[in-house]
């Protein structure tokens, strides 16, 4: 099977031209270039291009190749020497991974792999699933020829996710999350033995061997999928979620609210924050905090997740507006409540959000300077007076600056 035409016409023209340039330069350095992994899978499926490519090379070190390309294109060059991998990044988000063909071994479950240089077959055999273990020959002689020693093409036709060996999920438990993500994205099923391996690895607590950072990375990839609930539903079905936190919830209601958001017009970081908050909104504050701690989100993302969760808890418990310490809102908070309201317009959370928006828009017309002109000495009393004015205005008891002045004169003693 030859995929030269799909390669030319399905890839964005910039990627196609860059791949041609990389391949020609690699051959001039006595390296053999291959396109591998997800890009090959997506070409066969005619799936949308996902803005990154992996190229594997046999024949020696690729350091000079990567350095030459980075300098020629003026790209950022990241060198992961322990994995013999180089990443080239442009300011326009062009992403190309250059990888030395290798084999991998694992010293213990969940550990990062130890690598050794290998041939193309050993490089394909180290991958997660057969559908991601195909390559295209990019030499001038065999341009576009499909190489499929592990039956990935047949599994694609049968819409099946099949693992490469029985210890795969023990060696690298992050593959459990990837199995769910690919099955959810493409509407595939897990091959029967593969699902048994998944459940066995979960039962042996392999996920607990992973750091919070590694789990978070996989969860983030799921959350930016077009329909993330499908993948999370698989994880719930396999009891994988309990490995993150024993009380983390999942339900059809959570799935519905999560899928009501769309990621096409917002950045990944925002989509992750919104969908994570929607996921955790049905949990207790303690559980949500424990999950965020386990996954080790950055402070910025954590704050964007926590704000709507804190508000949701406040609304559910009918906290007084003045007791909710929020001076400004993240845009993610509005998106979270829009999604929650779209599913249940009559909930406490919906009513609380409407009241809170009104509260946030209310400001007294009097200022600290006005209070000083009225004879009040600056001090803590200013904060007390302005908060009281805000409350009265929120409740409709004050409608003008004159009303506010009269309230202050009647209720507070000037110095």
């Amino acid at each position: 099977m030859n995929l030269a035409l799909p390669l030319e016409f399905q890839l964005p023209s910039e990627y196609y031209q860059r791949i041609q340039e990389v391949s020609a330069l690699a051959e001039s350095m006595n390296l053999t270039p291959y396109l591998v992994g997800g890009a090959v899978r997506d070409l066969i499926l005619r799936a949308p291009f996902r803005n990154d490519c992996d190229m594997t090379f046999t024949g020696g070190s690729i350091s000079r190749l990567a350095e030459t390309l980075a300098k020629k294109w003026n790209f950022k060059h990241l060198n992961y020497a322990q994995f013999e991998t180089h990443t080239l990044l442009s300011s326009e988000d062009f992403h190309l991974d250059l990888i030395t063909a290798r084999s991998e071994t694992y010293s213990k479950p969940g550990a990062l792999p130890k690598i050794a240089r290998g041939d193309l077959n050993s490089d394909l055999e180290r991958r997660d699933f057969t559908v991601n273990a195909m390559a295209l020959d990019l030499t001038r002689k065999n341009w576009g020829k499909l190489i499929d020693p592990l039956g990935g093409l047949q599994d694609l036709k049968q819409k099946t996710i099949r693992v490469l060996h029985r210890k795969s999920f023990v060696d690298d438990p992050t593959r459990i999350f990837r199995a769910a993500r690919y099955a959810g994205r493409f509407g595939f099923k897990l091959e029967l033995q593969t699902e048994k391996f998944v459940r066995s690895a979960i039962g042996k607590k392999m996920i607990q061997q992973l750091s919070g950072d590694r789990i978070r990375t996989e969860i983030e990839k799921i959350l930016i999928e077009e329909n993330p609930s499908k993948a999370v539903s698989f994880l719930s079905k396999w009891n994988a979620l309990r490995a993150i936190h024993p009380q983390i919830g999942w339900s059809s209601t959570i799935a519905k609210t999560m899928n009501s958001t769309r990621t096409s017009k917002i950045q990944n970081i925002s989509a992750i924050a919104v969908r994570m908050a929607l996921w955790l909104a049905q949990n207790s504050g303690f559980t949500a905090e424990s999950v965020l701690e386990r996954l080790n989100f950055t402070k910025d993302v954590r704050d964007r997740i926590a704000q709507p969760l804190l508000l949701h808890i406040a609304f559910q418990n009918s906290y007084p507006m003045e007791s909710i310490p929020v001076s400004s809102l993240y845009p993610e908070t509005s998106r979270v409540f829009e999604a929650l309201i779209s599913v249940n317009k009559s909930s406490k959370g919906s009513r609380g959000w409407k009241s809170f928006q009104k509260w946030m828009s209310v400001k007294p017309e009097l200022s600290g300077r006005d209070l000083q002109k009225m004879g009040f000495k600056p001090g803590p009393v200013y904060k007390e007076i302005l908060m009281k004015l805000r409350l009265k205005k929120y409740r409709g008891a004050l409608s003008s600056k004159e009303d506010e002045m009269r309230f202050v004169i009647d209720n507070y003693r000037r110095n």
Side-chain angles (χ1 to χ4, degrees):
M1 184 176 185
N2 191 289
L3 297 175
L5 287 177
L7 182 63
E8 181 176 0
F9 294 108
Q10 287 178 226
L11 284 186
S13 59
E14 181 188 8
Y15 271 86
Y16 183 71
Q17 291 168 11
R18 300 277 187 193
I19 286 171
Q20 284 183 308
E21 193 170 349
V22 175
S23 300
L25 182 59
E27 284 200 90
S28 74
M29 296 178 175
N30 296 317
L31 299 169
T32 305
Y34 302 92
L35 185 69
V36 294
V40 179
R41 176 201 65 218
D42 291 348
L43 281 174
I44 296 170
L45 291 175
R46 297 179 180 271
F49 181 69
R50 301 188 68 82
N51 209 38
D52 60 63
C53 280
D54 290 353
M55 293 183 69
T56 287
F57 303 84
T58 59
S61 171
I62 61 172
S63 294
R64 187 163 67 93
L65 172 67
E67 291 165 2
T68 302
L69 291 168
K71 184 176 181 180
K72 182 178 182 181
W73 295 342
N74 194 26
F75 277 16
K76 184 176 182 179
H77 175 201
L78 304 177
N79 181 2
Y80 304 98
Q82 70 272 37
F83 300 118
E84 295 205 47
T85 296
H86 300 258
T87 297
L88 302 180
L89 297 169
S90 75
S91 57
E92 292 79 30
D93 203 28
F94 177 95
H95 183 123
L96 181 64
D97 283 333
L98 309 179
I99 305 161
T100 303
R102 63 183 191 248
S103 61
E104 295 179 345
T105 57
Y106 294 81
S107 59
K108 62 180 181 178
L112 293 173
K114 295 180 179 179
I115 70 165
R117 287 191 187 177
D119 58 16
L120 180 64
N121 279 350
S122 64
D123 193 81
L124 296 178
E125 287 169 358
R126 72 178 175 84
R127 295 177 180 272
D128 48 13
F129 310 110
T130 59
V131 296
N132 294 331
M134 296 178 285
L136 291 189
D137 191 323
L138 295 182
T139 60
R140 175 181 288 186
K141 179 180 179 181
N142 296 310
W143 183 266
K145 179 183 177 182
L146 179 67
I147 301 170
D148 178 26
L150 300 167
L153 181 60
Q154 184 63 26
D155 282 337
L156 277 185
K157 291 177 180 178
Q158 295 179 352
K159 298 185 176 182
T160 297
I161 302 294
R162 185 189 307 272
V163 80
L164 297 185
H165 60 89
R166 65 183 300 112
K167 287 186 62 181
S168 183
F169 299 113
V170 173
D171 286 343
D172 185 358
T174 64
R175 290 170 177 165
I176 295 169
F177 297 92
R178 277 180 262 161
R181 176 156 53 93
Y182 294 135
R185 181 193 301 173
F186 298 118
F188 285 10
K189 65 181 183 301
L190 264 64
E191 178 261 340
L192 183 60
Q193 196 62 50
T194 297
E195 184 166 345
K196 288 181 180 179
F197 293 152
V198 166
R199 291 182 180 276
S200 175
I202 293 169
K204 293 176 181 177
K205 301 191 176 189
M206 292 298 105
I207 291 177
Q208 284 88 329
Q209 304 295 319
L210 296 170
S211 68
D213 288 334
R214 293 187 71 191
I215 296 175
R216 187 197 66 251
T217 297
E218 297 302 324
I219 292 295
E220 287 176 338
K221 289 176 181 178
I222 287 172
L223 292 175
I224 61 174
E225 289 284 319
E226 182 177 350
N227 188 340
S229 70
K230 289 184 178 179
V232 184
S233 294
F234 278 114
L235 294 174
S236 178
K237 172 186 171 185
W238 303 333
N239 290 321
L241 298 183
R242 293 182 181 179
I244 301 173
H245 192 284
Q247 273 79 51
I248 192 169
W250 185 250
S251 68
S252 59
T253 300
I254 300 173
K256 189 174 181 181
T257 54
M258 187 183 285
N259 288 341
S260 70
T261 63
R262 290 289 177 264
T263 61
S264 58
K265 295 183 179 180
I266 56 178
Q267 294 181 339
N268 284 353
I269 187 173
S270 188
I272 289 165
V274 168
R275 286 172 161 177
M276 197 72 214
L278 289 169
W279 186 355
L280 297 176
Q282 307 305 319
N283 292 102
S284 69
F286 174 78
T287 298
E289 181 65 22
S290 297
V291 172
L292 294 178
E293 184 175 346
R294 168 70 169 124
L295 297 181
N296 197 27
F297 283 101
T298 64
K299 184 180 184 304
D300 180 51
V301 176
R302 192 182 183 116
D303 289 346
R304 292 168 189 268
I305 296 169
Q307 186 180 76
L309 294 180
L310 291 171
L311 287 175
H312 192 261
I313 291 170
F315 300 157
Q316 296 297 321
N317 291 280
S318 302
Y319 290 174
M321 288 296 155
E322 66 271 23
S323 71
I324 305 174
V326 177
S327 58
S328 61
L329 293 174
Y330 290 107
E332 290 79 9
T333 297
S334 295
R335 294 188 182 110
V336 167
F337 281 99
E338 286 168 5
L340 291 170
I341 290 168
S342 72
V343 173
N344 189 351
K345 293 181 173 61
S346 62
S347 70
K348 279 187 178 181
S350 302
R351 295 192 298 272
W353 175 242
K354 186 176 181 180
S355 299
F356 184 75
Q357 286 179 301
K358 178 183 175 183
W359 169 252
M360 291 294 285
S361 69
V362 170
K363 297 289 185 291
E365 293 190 48
L366 287 182
S367 66
R369 181 172 294 181
D370 293 322
L371 294 177
Q372 191 171 14
K373 288 179 180 178
M374 291 169 65
F376 290 91
K377 186 178 179 179
V381 71
Y382 276 28
K383 183 176 181 180
E384 179 186 338
I385 291 172
L386 294 174
M387 176 58 79
K388 198 69 173 179
L389 290 173
R390 187 180 182 190
L391 272 170
K392 288 286 185 180
K393 191 169 183 179
Y394 169 73
R395 293 168 180 165
L398 302 172
S399 58
S400 67
K401 189 172 185 177
E402 289 73 23
D403 288 343
E404 292 180 20
M405 292 176 70
R406 175 55 54 193
F407 174 81
V408 173
I409 291 169
D410 289 346
N411 291 275
Y412 292 90
R413 180 178 296 178
R414 284 172 280 192
N415 301 100

